């Protein structure tokens, strides 16, 4: 049955961090009198001729059945009037806090994908703290966020985005959920199909008509069956049901370049010495690129002589690369016309690669659909 599914990757460590009732929590933080009310972030429908939707509801309001995207008119009917409180959203304020929270995320890794002001994925497989424990990092982040902005958050940790997201939903508010690779299928089996991100109302109805109610039911279905009825989305659902989600964390903060440079005292007068350095630099740059999961398409050399004359030269490669030999040969080609610098002595030599692109994890080919 698993024949058609791509090979799973359980090596990554991904955190999904989600602020708890973000907008509502911010307003409660700034006005504690709201804390015991059923607080709804959205315009009071009594002042808007019944128009408007709930942006966020606090947990008191949620106990009455109010949720995001519900019409404020309906919320007004659900909650006793003495308890309900509407506050207009202040996105300026939320954006500032969101930026503060993101700064804390970037202390852990640059591999941060923001989904909303209050929600992001972090790939901490490699991280700036050199920690092996994603749990340690996530707890640290949750604590740092509370210290800095006095707001609670929940996180889910797993080997892919789907499970990390479902994990953070699992134990809100102030949730801490970790789903290990060997637990994933059981965890998914117990979820309702409506708990799966990406399975919308219409798809849920169709699945109900096939008596599919839970993750366990999905896992029992043939992959072919799901593809037949739901096309490409069916294939995604099948993968998700089996804990497979190969999407990378698409970081928006792109590093612009990676470089090494050194000054030399005494200066360099020897061609071999210069080329050996360039070769070493190329190797070091590739190590850094691999570590950050980047490739680079432009090589830049920088030379300064004893008289502080500085020259940079750049070369664009045919395509993004992280081949040390290709970098070396390009740098050498850039260096050759500048060899006259050796006469006065080279004081500084640097090599940088730019035009960085994310190198995705195993790319899955969906040729499957072209042949059908
Ligand atoms: Mg949230």
């Amino acid at each position: 049955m698993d024949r058609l599914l791509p090979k799973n990757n359980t090596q990554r460590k991904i955190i999904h961090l989600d602020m708890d009732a973000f907008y509502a929590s911010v307003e409660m933080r700034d006005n504690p009198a709201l804390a015991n009310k059923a607080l709804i972030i959205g315009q009071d429908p009594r002042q808007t001729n019944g128009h408007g939707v709930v942006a966020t509801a606090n947990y008191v309001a949620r106990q009455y059945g109010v949720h995001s995207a519900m019409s404020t008119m309906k919320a007004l009917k659900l909650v006793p009037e003495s308890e309900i409180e509407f506050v207009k959203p202040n996105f300026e304020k939320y954006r500032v806090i969101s930026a503060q929270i993101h700064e804390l995320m970037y202390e852990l890794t640059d591999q941060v994908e923001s989904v909303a002001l209050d929600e992001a994925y972090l790939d901490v497989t490699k991280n700036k703290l050199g920690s092996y424990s994603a749990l340690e990092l996530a707890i640290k982040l949750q604590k740092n966020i509370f210290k800095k902005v006095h707001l609670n958050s929940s996180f889910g940790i797993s080997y892919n985005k789907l499970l990390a997201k479902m994990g953070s939903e699992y134990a809100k508010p102030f949730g801490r959920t970790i789903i290990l690779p060997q637990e994933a299928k059981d965890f998914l089996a117990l979820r309702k199909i409506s708990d799966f991100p990406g399975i919308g109302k219409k798809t849920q109805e169709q699945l109900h008509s096939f008596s599919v109610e839970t993750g366990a039911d999905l896992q029992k279905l043939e992959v072919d069956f799901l593809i037949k009825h739901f096309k490409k989305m069916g294939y995604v659902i099948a993968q998700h049901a089996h804990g497979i989600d190969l999407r990378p964390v698409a970081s928006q903060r792109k590093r612009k370049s990676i470089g090494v440079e050194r000054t030399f005292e005494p200066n360099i007068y020897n061609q071999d010495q210069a080329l050996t350095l360039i070769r070493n630099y190329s190797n070091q740059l590739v190590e850094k690129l691999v570590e950050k999961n980047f490739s680079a398409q432009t090589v830049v050399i920088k030379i300064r002589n004893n008289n502080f004359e500085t020259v940079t030269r750049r070369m664009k490669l045919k395509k993004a690369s992280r081949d040390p030999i290709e970098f070396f040969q390009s740098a050498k080609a850039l260096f050759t016309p500048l060899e006259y610098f050796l006469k006065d002595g080279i004081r500084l030599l640097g090599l940088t690669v730019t035009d960085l692109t994310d190198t995705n994890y195993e790319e899955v080919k969906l040729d499957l659909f072209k042949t059908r």
Side-chain angles (χ1 to χ4, degrees):
M1 182 185 78
D2 293 359
R3 190 170 39 92
L4 280 171
L5 293 174
K7 191 171 166 291
N8 206 352
N9 173 6
T10 58
Q11 301 301 308
R12 292 182 291 159
K13 293 175 184 172
I14 293 174
I15 300 170
H16 180 258
L17 188 113
D18 194 1
M19 300 304 294
D20 297 333
F22 184 50
Y23 304 160
S25 301
V26 170
E27 299 304 339
M28 281 153 55
R29 179 195 74 175
D30 295 349
N31 180 3
L34 295 170
N36 299 319
K37 296 279 190 175
L39 174 63
I40 288 161
I41 306 304
Q43 298 237 61
D44 188 332
R46 292 164 293 196
Q47 293 161 15
T48 61
N49 283 325
H51 295 299
V53 293
V54 176
T56 308
N58 73 352
Y59 287 93
V60 178
R62 288 180 197 197
Q63 275 168 3
Y64 288 104
V66 179
H67 56 78
S68 307
M70 173 183 278
S71 81
T72 45
M73 215 36 210
K74 183 159 182 206
L76 189 59
K77 284 184 190 130
L78 288 171
V79 183
E81 239 174 284
S82 60
E83 286 195 47
I84 200 162
E85 195 79 48
F86 290 93
V87 170
K88 264 196 271 180
N90 179 347
F91 291 108
E92 277 305 296
K93 180 156 75 172
Y94 310 147
R95 252 191 287 278
V96 171
I97 299 167
S98 177
Q100 289 176 304
I101 294 166
H102 277 78
E103 281 311 309
L104 297 170
M105 295 179 185
Y106 288 125
E107 286 179 11
L108 306 184
T109 177
D110 286 331
Q111 299 293 109
V112 176
E113 177 183 343
S114 307
V115 183
L117 287 179
D118 71 327
E119 199 184 319
Y121 294 99
L122 294 82
D123 187 331
V124 295
T125 316
K126 297 230 170 93
N127 57 78
K128 293 179 185 176
L129 304 188
S131 170
Y132 184 74
S133 166
L135 182 59
E136 176 192 59
L137 292 169
I139 289 174
K140 192 183 184 75
L141 178 61
Q142 198 182 40
K143 283 184 178 167
N144 286 347
I145 290 172
F146 190 80
K147 251 192 268 171
K148 190 160 181 180
V149 298
H150 301 285
L151 294 169
N152 276 324
S153 56
S154 298
F155 64 73
I157 302 171
S158 197
Y159 59 85
N160 64 35
K161 284 161 72 170
L162 171 86
L163 287 159
K165 164 102 178 159
M166 290 176 84
S168 77
E169 291 292 331
Y170 177 70
K172 273 180 155 302
F174 199 62
R176 294 172 167 180
T177 304
I178 181 160
I179 302 163
L180 300 173
Q182 62 268 29
E183 302 166 330
K185 277 207 183 177
D186 289 343
F187 175 84
L188 292 166
L190 292 169
R191 306 272 77 73
K192 290 180 296 198
I193 52 170
S194 56
D195 292 337
F196 283 78
I199 301 189
K201 281 264 151 57
K202 239 181 101 186
T203 311
Q204 283 173 40
E205 278 166 28
Q206 263 178 290
L207 285 167
H208 286 318
S209 74
F210 301 127
S211 300
V212 175
E213 310 289 339
T214 65
D217 297 335
L218 280 176
Q219 287 169 359
K220 280 182 222 137
L221 292 179
E222 298 280 345
V223 177
D224 277 338
F225 177 88
L226 283 165
I227 292 173
K228 189 177 141 206
H229 288 281
F230 301 99
K231 305 284 181 326
K232 202 160 183 167
M233 189 180 50
Y235 189 53
V236 173
I237 293 171
Q239 291 179 55
H240 286 183
H242 289 88
I244 300 170
D245 175 12
L246 301 173
R247 289 172 300 160
V249 170
S251 63
Q252 290 104 336
R253 178 185 267 195
K254 291 254 156 67
R255 279 193 66 144
K256 293 207 165 66
S257 66
I258 293 178
V260 272
E261 64 173 46
R262 273 173 60 196
T263 45
F264 300 93
E265 198 58 63
N267 300 156
I268 300 168
Y269 296 92
N270 177 298
Q271 187 202 34
D272 280 350
Q273 199 189 345
L275 290 177
T276 302
L277 278 165
I278 291 171
R279 190 186 297 276
N280 290 344
Y281 286 171
S282 302
N283 292 334
Q284 287 172 40
L285 292 178
V286 168
E287 269 174 40
K288 288 189 188 180
L289 287 171
V290 169
E291 190 189 312
K292 308 240 182 276
N293 209 23
F294 284 128
S295 295
Q297 203 174 350
T298 299
V299 176
V300 185
I301 196 168
K302 178 176 168 188
I303 303 183
R304 178 175 298 152
N305 69 12
N306 224 0
N307 305 322
F308 282 85
E309 292 168 63
T310 308
V311 176
T312 59
R313 293 282 183 271
R314 60 179 55 228
M315 182 187 288
K316 186 147 188 167
L317 309 176
K318 280 210 184 71
K319 59 187 176 90
S321 162
R322 49 182 175 194
D323 174 4
I325 296 168
E326 190 175 13
F327 289 167
F328 170 69
Q329 277 165 354
S330 312
K332 190 181 165 193
L334 291 170
F335 178 70
T336 304
L338 301 171
E339 275 181 2
Y340 65 90
F341 267 68
L342 288 164
K343 267 191 304 182
D344 294 327
I346 291 175
R347 183 190 163 79
L348 177 147
L349 185 59
L351 192 64
T352 298
V353 287
T354 70
D355 277 348
L356 304 187
T357 46
D358 269 322
T359 307
N360 289 351
Y361 298 86
E362 288 173 74
E363 285 196 8
V364 191
K365 290 214 177 79
L366 289 175
D367 293 344
L368 190 59
F369 298 97
K370 289 184 191 135
T371 55
R372 271 154 203 268

